[in-house]
Amino acid sequence: MRTRKHYHKTFPYSFLQTELESKLKEKGVTKLVIVGMMTHMCIDATVRAAVDLGFETTLIEDACATRDLSYQDKVVPAEQVHYAFVSALNGMYANVISTEDFLE
């Protein structure tokens, strides 16, 4: 019986203690398209790490999601959280585009 190794991401960015970087570089990958959950945590951390590691990144912003955040008695709605993080990544860290624009 053949056993299969499973690799689980346990930190906010996808490169920490995973084989992702080595596998991508082994395959000659230089450009990444990033989507997923949560914009304010894993997406932000992964995009920034990818750029630090030398990858060119595209973030498909409407294929990402987040949730409301709160601090003390203030709640920041998910849409505002999402656009604040996407805005911070746009330009210096990623080419931020919509799914529609990506598919064109």
Side-chain angles (χ1 to χ4, degrees):
M1 183 175 186
R2 198 171 175 197
T3 57
R4 198 172 205 195
K5 288 186 180 181
H6 295 278
Y7 298 96
H8 300 280
K9 180 174 100 44
T10 56
F11 295 97
Y13 71 95
S14 301
F15 297 98
L16 184 60
Q17 295 183 13
T18 70
E19 293 185 354
L20 180 59
E21 179 186 8
S22 63
K23 295 289 185 189
L24 292 170
K25 290 191 174 178
E26 181 180 288
K27 301 277 187 196
V29 174
T30 60
K31 298 178 182 181
L32 301 179
V33 177
I34 298 177
V35 301
M37 295 282 292
M38 300 273 208
T39 309
H40 73 277
M41 183 61 70
C42 297
I43 297 301
D44 181 65
T46 297
V47 167
R48 291 172 188 269
V51 171
D52 289 345
L53 294 170
F55 294 99
E56 181 182 325
T57 60
T58 296
L59 175 61
I60 302 180
E61 66 87 8
D62 58 346
C64 298
T66 194
R67 61 180 175 83
D68 293 351
L69 295 180
S70 62
Y71 176 72
Q72 295 180 354
D73 63 343
K74 300 198 179 5
V75 175
V76 182
E79 184 177 35
Q80 289 179 8
V81 172
H82 177 75
Y83 285 112
F85 277 84
V86 166
S87 297
L89 293 172
N90 188 37
M92 178 168 276
Y93 285 98
N95 174 31
V96 176
I97 61 174
S98 68
T99 302
E100 184 177 338
D101 288 342
F102 179 75
L103 294 175
E104 286 182 359

